[in-house]
Amino acid sequence: MILTLCSAVALLAYAAAAWRGRNPQGMPWLWAGWAWQAAALVVDIGGVGASAPGARFGVGPALSLTVWLVLTVAMLEGRWLPLAALRRPMALAAGLGVALAWALPGQAHHASSPWAPVHWALGLASYGLVGTAVLHAWLMQRAERHLRDAATAASPGLPLLRLERLTFQFVAASVLVLGAALVLGAGFSAKWQWDHKTVFAVLSWSVLAGLWLGRWRLGWRGRQAARWLYVGSALLLLSYAGSRFVLQVLLGRTV
């Protein structure tokens, strides 16, 4: 009941924010949706009112939390960067995340070790960091296209160098956080195994670490760096969210 209430209010707020679009009057609705989505995530992941005790995870809450974290960074950066054009797509994406978490709520998970909650938190945080890096990479490519277009070169746009720096800062953070999650999972989890989730997560970390090293040693940037980032994010999406979608939705198993 509580999850339904929080999700419904968040969806209504995001719908109002999307309808307002670039209008500044849409920002209060966006913040309202953000707050109610946060409440829905706490209720769902925390298992508030659930019959089974323990933390709850699943493909829906994982994707919803990822979008929520990306939205958080975007709204905070909106104080310094002209991101009004992102309000409608971000509201729609956040609303989709809420709807997915509502339709596919989390399932109870019991910690196999005291480090398990830290491992889960780091894994979910890595999703948000990679998603934020992808958003900045997309904005970076958009700003680069504006600079190359003679017709729009004189129009105000996003600062390319700042976006590039932010993109790689989030890439570096995701490498550290995802790496820490993998180390904790391998070192302290009693259920660690080389399943599809683990293989895709390690592949994603390898690609992101390779991108960071390529930037540091070879000066990778622009489209080449964005392609590596998109591949790494796709692999990470296939790790937890992808494997849980197959098990929870397609096969109907409890995980």
Side-chain angles (χ1 to χ4, degrees), residues 30-50:
L30 195 61
W31 278 109
W34 174 89
W36 281 99
Q37 185 180 11
L41 286 168
V42 170
V43 170
D44 193 357
I45 297 177
V48 178

Side-chain angles (χ1 to χ4, degrees), residues 27 50 76 114-115 141 157 167 174 185 188-190 208 217 243 250:
M27 279 303 297
L76 292 176
W115 290 99
Q141 288 187 294
T167 299
S174 65
F188 300 99
S189 176
L208 294 173
R217 300 299 298 270
S243 62
L250 298 183

Side-chain angles (χ1 to χ4, degrees), residues 92-250:
L92 293 174
L96 178 60
V98 172
L100 285 173
W102 192 3
L104 302 171
Q107 299 173 343
H109 282 60
H110 300 283
S112 58
S113 76
W115 290 99
V118 181
H119 167 69
W120 296 337
L122 290 174
L124 292 172
S126 67
Y127 264 72
L129 289 170
V130 172
T132 306
V134 168
L135 174 63
H136 284 80
W138 179 80
L139 291 172
M140 179 180 66
Q141 288 187 294
R142 184 168 175 262
E144 192 176 20
R145 285 195 299 269
H146 275 275
L147 289 176
R148 291 178 178 177
D149 190 346
T152 59
S155 65
L158 294 170
L160 179 59
L161 293 180
R162 185 172 184 178
L163 286 172
E164 186 179 56
R165 183 172 64 254
L166 287 170
T167 299
F168 283 99
Q169 286 175 349
F170 282 110
V171 168
S174 65
V175 170
L176 292 175
V177 173
L178 180 57
L182 291 172
V183 169
L184 282 177
F188 300 99
S189 176
K191 297 182 179 180
W192 176 266
Q193 55 183 336
W194 285 99
D195 52 11
H196 293 84
K197 174 177 66 71
T198 303
V199 171
F200 278 119
V202 171
L203 288 175
S204 174
W205 182 88
S206 301
V207 170
L208 294 173
L211 170 59
W212 182 76
L213 288 174
R215 167 70 173 179
W216 177 45
R217 300 299 298 270
L218 304 176
W220 287 354
R221 61 192 311 171
R223 294 181 181 179
Q224 182 184 26
R227 284 195 292 266
W228 275 77
L229 178 56
Y230 296 154
V231 171
S233 63
L235 290 170
L236 185 61
L237 184 65
L238 289 172
S239 62
Y240 181 82
S243 62
R244 290 305 180 268
F245 177 81
V246 172
L247 292 173
Q248 182 178 345
V249 179
L250 298 183

